[in-house]
Amino acid sequence: MKDVRRDAWVLRDDGLAALVRELARDGRQVIGPTVRDGAIVLAEVDDAAQLPHGWGVELAAGRYRLVRREDAMVFAHSAGPQSWKAYLHPQHVRRWTADRNAGGEWTVRGEDEREADAVPAYAFLGVRPCDLRAIAVQGRVLGGGPGADTAYRRRLDRTFIVAVECTDPGATCFCTSMGSGPAVDVHDRGYDLAMTELLDEGGHRFLIRAGSDAGAELLTRLPVEGAAPLTESAARHVVADAAERMGRSMPPVDLHALMAGSMAAERWDDVASRCLTCGNCTMVCPTCFCTTTEDVTDLTGDHAERWQRWDSCFDLDFSQLHGGPVRASGRSRYRQWLTHKLGTWHDQFGESGCVGCGRCIVWCPVGIDITEEAAALAEETGQPENRGSVQAAESVRHARQEGGGRR
Amino acid sequence: MPAAARATRPTLAVFKLASCDGCQLTLLDCEDELLELAGRVEIRHFLEASSAVGSGPYDLALVEGSITTAEDRRRVHEIRAAARHLVTIGACATAGGIQALRNFADVAEYRATVYARPEYIATLATSTPVSAHVPVDFELRGCPIDRGQLLEVITAFLVGRKPDIPDHSVCFACKRRGTVCVTVAHGTPCLGPVTHAGCGAICPAYGRGCYGCFGPSASPNLPALIPLLRRDGMDEPTLGRALRTYNATAFAELAARSGEERPS
Ligand code: SF4
Ligand code: SF4
Ligand code: SF4
Ligand code: SF4
């Protein structure tokens, strides 16, 4: 008998409908890719027909175009304008409220984070390997340790994740450089089900395997059939092939050391002349976690609320101290973004803050490219090539297995 | 506000200089909050709402409109002298408004073309923001201003805190709202990356580019955006017009400044 926990199965494309149905039947809100406003965005899907059947994307620095594919592939597109952080780390949340009574006494109430349990849990359908890593990376920042956000932890813990391996990397993808894709690592504990989409002589189908007990249980309710060895090797092949077709790559240097050694580089002036300091890169980045607080009072002055909203190191107010912002120039703000992402993130959290999804390249209106900036810095500072990227991947793999990604 | 001061209601006054009244109307538009506001403050002077005119001093004066006449230039000093806090509202008051287009042209010629009896028209050669004449405590941007932001400014002044009015780009709000970027995905020119947030990124949410009605953000890099606007189909006259609307002088100063020094 097959071991449902370990073996791979095959789901025919009509089985996707059953997958969406079963997730909804479990009371989950299913979030997946769907076409809206000329892009493949993440939104609630209540029917597999809403998935982007036959849609693909053409990506370049500062450019995104939705295109019709010649086939009916559903997940043959790379990262879109939002990431899953829009759901796990919402852009605007209330932290506490305070009320003053007639006697002038204040009562402060923190948000009851257990209320998070009253709303439907999410099912994320179609999480790419880079984003699976990003969820784990952000989870280690917000889900535990000194920066712990317990509401975040609750949302993540209750989310059911269906990962889908990448077969069609975009021109801006470089997960291979960051060790985060295009395959889903079998040892990854961050997913419940993982799929590989196949469309060949054998038809349109998904190789599917469980990554958790919840995933294994769900599998028993899906119309799956045993996977033939040929199907398994075909799936391995399309993903290995995708690794060869990455649109971009990071320079093969120790990026952590590169950032530490580039603080005075002239390249920062060059990029600052092009950078709009518009903040789009941090907003689309699936690991950027920064927030600010806003205090709201009503007209009576007897009711106050504190909200948390996404902020960015490109905001002047972000580094505002007494007397003015610490990072007043565009140069210092771009440098903060890049050196945090690729450098000091290692010091803080033991891994890279970049997973190679390419969103910051695509959604930067002027097309500033993180890989090109890193390469220019490496060239200017003469950073030697080494096995740094391999070491980084090692430490990431190590980190992935403890903490954040585990749910 | 200290408890002792709560017994007497703070006084509010709304003044209009050269403007269209749209920003003041935003206050009347605050339907749900208006009654509460009227109970909370004493509205001493608000001709749009009531012809009763109460004299100063005022705790908070909201000033709409720009300075385009010698009379208003004199009056704005009186308003300042009578106001504890002076907040200017809208693009006219904060940047000179669309009427500041005259700053780039010959007013006498305009006057002769537009009016049948130009000799009856007394006007200055320029339209300038209130802050060019008197110190201003806070400038609320927009053409028109945003209702939520106006309430935020009023409530903040009432309790004595700093208003939470971010001065970053429209893109921040656009992304937070989950809009697909019209520049990146559709090739539509958008002034969002150099424009002050505050509207909630309305235009991109309806598929069109931002046209800068809130004026420049706190750290705009206009020279970096202009090639993009050209690429996406704006020819020189269109580009000129895009930057010369409600905040013409603010964007013009910015263009002039960035011509001399590279932004850092
Ligand atoms: S830095 Fe850019 S490529 Fe890296 S994870 Fe963030 S958005 Fe993706
Ligand atoms: S890059 Fe900037 S916005 Fe992103 S996590 Fe770091 S400091 Fe925050
Ligand atoms: S790098 Fe691009 S997206 Fe990021 S702030 Fe600069 S211009 Fe905006
Ligand atoms: S649509 Fe305009 S405002 Fe929105 S992110 Fe794009 S450039 Fe910025």
Side-chain angles (χ1 to χ4, degrees):
Chain A
M1 210 186 129
K2 288 197 103 171
D3 177 353
V4 77
R5 184 75 168 80
R6 286 187 34 234
D7 290 335
W9 301 79
V10 166
L11 188 69
R12 293 278 154 192
D13 63 346
D14 52 4
L16 267 189
L19 175 59
V20 173
R21 226 174 20 243
E22 288 304 318
L23 289 168
R25 187 167 294 162
D26 290 343
R28 297 182 177 280
Q29 188 183 2
V30 183
I31 311 292
T34 190
V35 170
R36 168 175 56 84
D37 298 336
I40 297 176
V41 301
L42 300 176
E44 183 167 4
V45 290
D46 31 50
D47 186 324
Q50 293 163 330
L51 297 170
H53 296 262
W55 288 101
V57 294
E58 263 172 30
L59 306 181
R63 189 185 153 93
Y64 180 105
R65 289 295 180 273
L66 181 69
V67 291
R68 264 278 167 216
R69 293 178 59 89
E70 283 172 1
D71 58 31
M73 292 282 280
V74 180
F75 297 103
H77 54 85
S78 39
Q82 322 110 308
S83 70
W84 306 96
K85 84 172 174 186
Y87 296 92
L88 293 174
H89 180 45
Q91 53 95 5
H92 203 211
V93 284
R94 190 167 57 202
R95 301 313 305 232
W96 51 256
T97 53
D99 287 286
R100 182 164 52 188
N101 66 16
E105 282 165 19
W106 284 99
T107 316
V108 179
R109 258 180 319 113
E111 284 304 296
D112 184 353
E113 274 143 10
R114 282 163 307 177
E115 278 172 21
D117 298 345
V119 300
Y122 293 125
F124 291 167
L125 175 57
V127 177
R128 315 327 301 242
C130 60
D131 281 347
L132 192 60
R133 168 71 59 80
I135 291 170
V137 168
Q138 205 179 49
R140 277 185 283 276
V141 176
L142 298 176
D149 175 333
T150 51
Y152 176 95
R153 184 85 248 169
R154 277 175 188 275
R155 282 189 289 270
L156 178 58
D157 286 349
R158 298 174 71 228
T159 300
F160 187 98
I161 290 184
V162 183
V164 179
E165 293 188 306
C166 269
T167 54
D168 278 62
T172 48
C173 289
F174 57 100
C175 61
T176 310
S177 295
M178 308 315 289
S180 59
V184 170
D185 191 325
V186 280
H187 300 298
D188 196 312
R189 298 191 204 166
Y191 66 91
D192 297 289
L193 288 173
M195 309 201 293
T196 318
E197 185 173 16
L198 286 168
L199 204 177
D200 53 23
E201 319 76 61
H204 191 188
R205 61 215 192 280
F206 300 87
L207 190 76
I208 185 167
R209 61 178 194 270
S212 71
D213 293 341
E217 188 280 322
L218 192 89
L219 258 186
T220 63
R221 290 186 268 146
L222 296 179
V224 290
E225 45 194 79
L230 261 179
T231 309
E232 292 196 50
S233 69
R236 267 197 305 276
H237 183 78
V238 290
V239 176
D241 188 47
E244 299 302 313
R245 288 187 286 119
M246 286 295 134
R248 282 186 167 53
S249 61
M250 270 292 181
V253 302
D254 178 340
L255 295 168
H256 182 193
L258 172 65
M259 291 300 127
S262 309
M263 296 308 274
E266 281 174 15
R267 182 69 182 187
W268 303 119
D269 289 324
D270 182 273
V271 67
S273 73
R274 289 174 279 131
C275 174
L276 301 160
T277 65
C278 64
N280 272 303
C281 46
T282 60
M283 297 283 158
V284 297
C285 178
T287 67
C288 272
F289 55 82
C290 286
T291 54
T292 187
T293 51
E294 63 189 39
D295 291 328
V296 184
T297 47
D298 73 352
L299 285 165
T300 64
D302 294 331
H303 178 79
E305 297 183 354
R306 170 159 288 184
W307 288 73
Q308 167 184 298
R309 70 163 178 251
W310 284 359
D311 202 5
S312 156
C313 49
F314 283 97
D315 191 340
L316 273 178
D317 207 40
F318 187 78
S319 68
Q320 176 82 30
L321 296 181
H322 175 74
V326 172
R327 298 188 202 103
S329 68
R331 170 190 161 99
S332 60
R333 277 176 281 157
Y334 185 86
R335 188 178 63 187
Q336 161 63 23
W337 141 257
L338 199 72
T339 56
H340 187 213
K341 202 97 291 204
L342 301 177
T344 48
W345 205 293
H346 286 276
D347 305 320
Q348 276 182 295
F349 307 112
E351 61 189 319
S352 170
C354 175
V355 300
C357 72
R359 283 187 181 87
C360 56
I361 307 174
V362 176
W363 299 99
C364 170
V366 290
I368 291 173
D369 177 345
I370 186 171
T371 63
E372 194 181 309
E373 297 312 314
L377 288 168
E379 193 183 321
E380 182 183 338
T381 60
Q383 182 74 21
E385 287 198 11
N386 71 351
R387 301 186 311 116
S389 54
V390 177
Q391 284 160 9
E394 288 298 331
S395 74
V396 163
R397 200 162 300 136
H398 164 73
R400 183 177 51 216
Q401 282 155 22
E402 17 182 288
R406 190 168 145 208
R407 295 169 311 117
Chain B
M1 144 179 348
R6 288 166 59 80
T8 54
R9 288 183 301 162
T11 53
L12 175 76
V14 184
F15 295 96
K16 170 189 157 65
L17 306 169
S19 57
C20 76
D21 285 27
C23 290
Q24 301 184 52
L25 270 178
T26 307
L27 188 57
L28 290 179
D29 256 358
C30 299
E31 291 164 3
D32 297 339
E33 299 84 0
L34 202 58
L35 274 181
E36 203 184 331
L37 179 67
R40 177 77 184 137
V41 300
E42 184 190 333
I43 302 180
R44 280 267 179 89
H45 185 280
F46 186 14
L47 293 177
E48 184 88 33
S50 155
S51 52
V53 176
S55 60
Y58 314 106
D59 289 303
L60 177 61
L62 301 176
V63 180
E64 172 196 281
S66 67
I67 309 293
T68 59
T69 64
E71 165 60 12
D72 279 350
R73 190 167 55 191
R74 186 192 58 74
R75 200 154 66 97
V76 78
H77 285 276
E78 278 178 20
I79 297 172
R80 175 71 268 190
R84 186 189 304 249
H85 298 295
L86 191 159
V87 173
T88 49
I89 57 172
C92 300
T94 61
I98 194 149
Q99 58 273 31
L101 288 175
R102 71 170 68 181
N103 302 8
F104 309 103
D106 180 354
V107 171
E109 199 185 311
Y110 271 9
R111 189 163 41 190
T113 317
V114 174
Y115 296 98
R117 303 291 300 270
E119 64 274 21
Y120 289 159
I121 306 296
T123 184
L124 299 174
T126 55
S127 169
T128 42
V130 171
S131 61
H133 302 267
V134 294
V136 167
D137 297 298
F138 192 81
E139 294 189 306
L140 183 62
R141 308 278 205 90
C143 184
I145 52 171
D146 175 82
R147 189 177 154 276
Q149 288 208 320
L150 177 63
L151 283 169
E152 165 61 14
V153 169
I154 295 174
T155 49
F157 275 91
L158 287 178
V159 298
R161 65 177 170 84
K162 183 174 166 251
D164 175 36
I165 305 288
D167 56 11
H168 50 224
S169 73
V170 173
C171 300
F172 277 66
C174 195
K175 280 288 177 297
R176 287 177 45 205
R177 174 173 185 152
T179 301
V180 174
C181 175
V182 300
T183 291
V184 170
H186 312 157
T188 301
C190 181
L191 289 180
V194 296
T195 300
H196 193 290
C199 62
I202 302 171
C203 291
Y206 290 92
R208 57 170 287 178
C210 163
Y211 55 97
C213 69
F214 274 59
S217 72
S219 76
N221 185 353
L222 196 53
L225 184 66
I226 285 182
L228 227 67
L229 300 174
R230 288 205 184 103
R231 177 200 71 188
D232 292 335
M234 276 197 180
D235 55 16
E236 291 312 302
T238 317
L239 188 57
R241 278 197 299 275
L243 295 176
R244 286 193 174 184
T245 55
Y246 319 98
N247 293 277
T249 49
F251 277 118
E253 273 169 30
L254 184 62
R257 242 191 303 139
S258 41
E260 294 153 19
E261 36 161 317
R262 272 213 334 196
S264 57

